[in-house]
Amino acid sequence: MQDPSEEAPARWESLPSWLLTQTASHAHRLVTEGFSSVGARGYHYRLLATLERFGPASQAALGRRSGIHLSDMVATINELADRDLVERAPDPADRRRNIISLTAAGKRQLRRLEKRLAECQDALLAPLSPGERQRLTELLSRLLDHHNRRTGTPEEPWRGPGSARAPSR
Amino acid sequence: MQDPSEEAPARWESLPSWLLTQTASHAHRLVTEGFSSVGARGYHYRLLATLERFGPASQAALGRRSGIHLSDMVATINELADRDLVERAPDPADRRRNIISLTAAGKRQLRRLEKRLAECQDALLAPLSPGERQRLTELLSRLLDHHNRRTGTPEEPWRGPGSARAPSR
DNA sequence: CCAAAATCGTTGGTGCGTCCAACGGTTGGT
DNA sequence: ACCAACCGTTGGACGCACCAACGATTTTGG
């Protein structure tokens, strides 16, 4: 979008879905700008953060944990590997797999991205008081939770106390 | 996204920008599904609604009022015109322009889309009480307003009481 | 033990929304 | 008569999310 203007408030502009997607688009813009100022994009951050949180893993596992589609992991890892922010090495134990790990440079990049991200949150919520920010966060969490439950995200049907996946025989 | 799962709440999942964009993506999904069930998409609705609100106009004017980029107006109008939901006629008074107008079928389609849209709002906000819905809407409006002010949207710099554009020299 | 099923990485393509650059045709101010 | 501004159109781009299909490999269950 670029220019509603004309001092004309169209009908749809007060719909929650519109408010949500438009505000989100501002949020996205802020974050994208912040990231691109250090040559990164959203997927890069998510992948780096996932790597730091869970440690080295195969591309498929990273995809599951970060919510990035397998198809998109390839390009994302390529881009990060080209800049030596992650390392892609074959898994000796399973020749189908690559093991992706975070490099020192990758960790530094992650720190930068987190910094930007924090600044973005502040810019995003600028007009709200701390209390209002909290309430907004709470409401959004509830909504997100609700819709995640009833859409795909459930996943991981069962996997009782027994450690890693080793369902049956 | 498709499957965070793994019962692992990643760091970024509590950031307002994340909550916002993810919730928005659910909203967008709901709306898109609702629209596509009658063979339409977001731009179609916005264009039809703009037409009904302001009456027939040139593509450029519609673009400004609906916030749809001129480049995208072309395809949008093509799609709607192919289905006889709008009519594209040359403006006799200005041969650069096309005058786009809503047909009776277009109006009916708009009614259908509005119906879907209303259902979507309800599905979207399902877990919230009326009061909470109101508060969410209010908070989002404030945010959107804030960011619209400081981003492009201002537009229409001046255009004093003097009717149409006739700035300087 | 071996064949069928499942997984992994990869390529290439889809869709939506948003935006940009460039073009030729038209108009209007001077 | 000129040139600036506007109009519609085309073709491209990007980010995010997804799907289908493939070869290579591993796991499985009969």
Side-chain angles (χ1 to χ4, degrees):
Chain A
M1 177 154 335
Q2 195 164 224
D3 154 9
S5 77
E6 203 119 338
E7 100 292 74
R11 216 158 16 316
W12 66 80
E13 298 200 347
S14 57
L15 293 175
S17 62
W18 175 262
L19 296 173
L20 211 40
T21 54
Q22 290 311 294
T23 312
S25 125
H26 281 290
H28 184 259
R29 183 180 43 75
L30 287 171
V31 171
T32 296
E33 284 169 5
F35 282 174
S36 79
S37 75
V38 288
R41 58 195 184 95
Y43 278 7
H44 295 170
Y45 165 71
R46 266 157 74 181
L47 184 47
L48 292 175
T50 303
L51 271 173
E52 190 185 51
R53 177 125 164 34
F54 297 98
S58 72
Q59 300 185 186
L62 289 172
R64 280 187 291 268
R65 305 208 254 245
S66 65
I68 298 175
H69 199 103
L70 278 215
S71 318
D72 303 316
M73 281 300 312
V74 179
T76 305
I77 294 178
N78 285 345
E79 290 157 12
L80 291 174
D82 283 352
R83 302 173 53 189
D84 292 312
L85 301 176
V86 303
E87 201 185 31
R88 188 196 248 130
D91 183 343
D94 185 337
R95 278 186 295 173
R96 288 173 304 181
R97 291 190 174 105
N98 291 332
I99 296 191
I100 310 302
S101 50
L102 198 53
T103 66
K107 213 165 212 166
R108 282 194 297 274
Q109 174 77 336
L110 180 53
R111 290 287 94 78
R112 276 191 288 270
L113 294 177
E114 283 169 339
K115 191 161 177 297
R116 304 282 172 179
L117 206 42
E119 294 163 359
C120 287
Q121 305 307 309
D122 222 70
L124 175 62
L125 303 177
L128 301 188
S129 74
E132 289 169 332
R133 297 181 186 202
Q134 228 252 289
R135 255 176 300 161
L136 177 64
T137 301
E138 205 264 321
L139 290 171
L140 289 175
S141 295
R142 296 242 313 275
L143 282 187
L144 185 53
D145 212 63
H146 169 79
H147 291 290
N148 275 345
R149 274 180 210 302
R150 60 173 47 204
T151 325
T153 319
E155 186 59 29
E156 218 70 22
W158 313 120
R159 200 181 65 192
S163 59
R165 55 209 49 162
S168 54
R169 65 164 16 267
Chain B
M1 181 156 330
Q2 191 162 228
D3 155 8
S5 80
E6 203 120 338
E7 100 295 69
R11 206 145 42 302
W12 65 81
E13 298 200 345
S14 56
L15 293 175
S17 62
W18 176 261
L19 296 173
L20 211 41
T21 54
Q22 291 310 295
T23 312
S25 124
H26 281 290
H28 184 260
R29 183 180 44 75
L30 287 170
V31 171
T32 297
E33 284 169 5
F35 282 174
S36 78
S37 77
V38 287
R41 59 194 183 94
Y43 278 6
H44 296 172
Y45 165 72
R46 264 157 74 181
L47 185 46
L48 293 176
T50 302
L51 271 173
E52 191 185 52
R53 180 126 164 31
F54 297 97
S58 72
Q59 301 185 186
L62 289 173
R64 281 188 290 269
R65 292 173 186 157
S66 65
I68 297 175
H69 198 104
L70 277 213
S71 318
D72 305 314
M73 281 299 312
V74 179
T76 306
I77 294 179
N78 285 344
E79 290 157 12
L80 292 174
D82 282 352
R83 301 173 53 189
D84 292 312
L85 301 176
V86 303
E87 202 185 30
R88 188 198 247 130
D91 182 343
D94 185 338
R95 277 188 293 173
R96 288 172 303 179
R97 290 191 174 104
N98 291 333
I99 296 192
I100 311 302
S101 50
L102 198 53
T103 67
K107 212 164 212 168
R108 283 194 296 275
Q109 173 77 335
L110 180 52
R111 291 287 93 77
R112 276 192 288 271
L113 294 178
E114 282 168 341
K115 191 161 178 297
R116 303 284 171 177
L117 205 42
E119 294 163 1
C120 286
Q121 305 307 309
D122 222 70
L124 174 62
L125 303 177
L128 302 188
S129 75
E132 288 168 333
R133 297 180 187 203
Q134 227 251 290
R135 254 175 302 163
L136 178 64
T137 300
E138 204 263 321
L139 290 171
L140 289 176
S141 295
R142 297 242 313 275
L143 282 187
L144 185 52
D145 212 64
H146 170 80
H147 291 289
N148 275 345
R149 274 180 209 300
R150 59 172 48 205
T151 325
T153 318
E155 185 58 28
E156 219 69 22
W158 312 120
R159 199 182 66 192
S163 62
R165 56 212 49 160
S168 55
R169 76 172 355 274

